[in-house]
Amino acid sequence: MKKQTAGREYLGRIAPQFAELNDDVLFGKVWAREKELSLRDRSMITIASLLTAGQYPQLKSHLALGKEHGIQKEEVVEIITQLAFYCGWPKAWSAFPLIEEIYGEEPAISEERTAIAEHNRITDQNPNSGRKRITAMPETLAPFPVGEENTTYQDHFVGKSYLATLSLGQMNVFHVSFTPGARNNWHVHRADRGGGQLLLCTYGRGWYQEWGKEARELHAGDTVFIPAHVKHWHGAASDSWFQHIAEELPGEHCSLEWCEAVSDEDYSKLP
């Protein structure tokens, strides 16, 4: 089983000891005891427990982990169907959309995973090449959907990104996923009054920079308020996926002005 880091990434700042117990004891020791129970069996037990408790964000993560451990879609559907009679019909009903999401077809992401695996294989074989290992796609950790490849705005991005719409109407809210090295162009949120944007970082390591200022490194849990009329860009670090929620703040006559790309030369100077 791969080394677990979710505790430190999500809770390392607020609860470092809890994060250590999660990563090093629960996943590092208990889950590692494959002689007593296989990873597949442990995944089945955990899925059953989380469904019974109604803990759907964690259930989604462990459905994905169970898939990695060899649990087939038909098997997990049968598990949920039987548990419905013991823990409640609404809980089981709520679990099936998660199963469909985890076991659905995601060719673009699968291709991305393959590319990352090949990059890391070459990196491991050539430790003196100067290449950096890339953090794998975080779909089993992020509590928000990855969405579809962001082709609508691809002319205003360097690298590949994904976009999931969380809310439209009174406030537009999106979950944006950047592949390693991906970033948007310099841009400005315009408004006659109010407006601007709020970023809520949800996973990985990234960057935010305002025109004429030093770049700010971002991690899960960080927030960025971007006033209207401030030229800026944001995106992933070169060795990590990065995800954030982007909220368009209410204002009058709001618009988005795209500018030039962040050059490879300027981006390469970031740590």
Side-chain angles (χ1 to χ4, degrees), residues 7 105 108 236:
E105 296 298 326

Side-chain angles (χ1 to χ4, degrees), residues 35 41 58 67 73 116 118 131 145 149 172 267-268:
K35 182 178 179 181
D41 290 342
Q58 291 80 10
K67 181 181 178 182
K73 182 178 181 179
I116 290 173
E118 178 64 14
R131 295 166 65 107
E149 186 175 342
N172 296 334
Y267 182 81
S268 65

Side-chain angles (χ1 to χ4, degrees), residues 51-65:
L51 177 71
T52 302
Q55 298 296 323
Y56 298 108
Q58 291 80 10
L59 175 60
K60 178 181 175 182
S61 296
H62 279 277
L63 285 170
L65 191 61

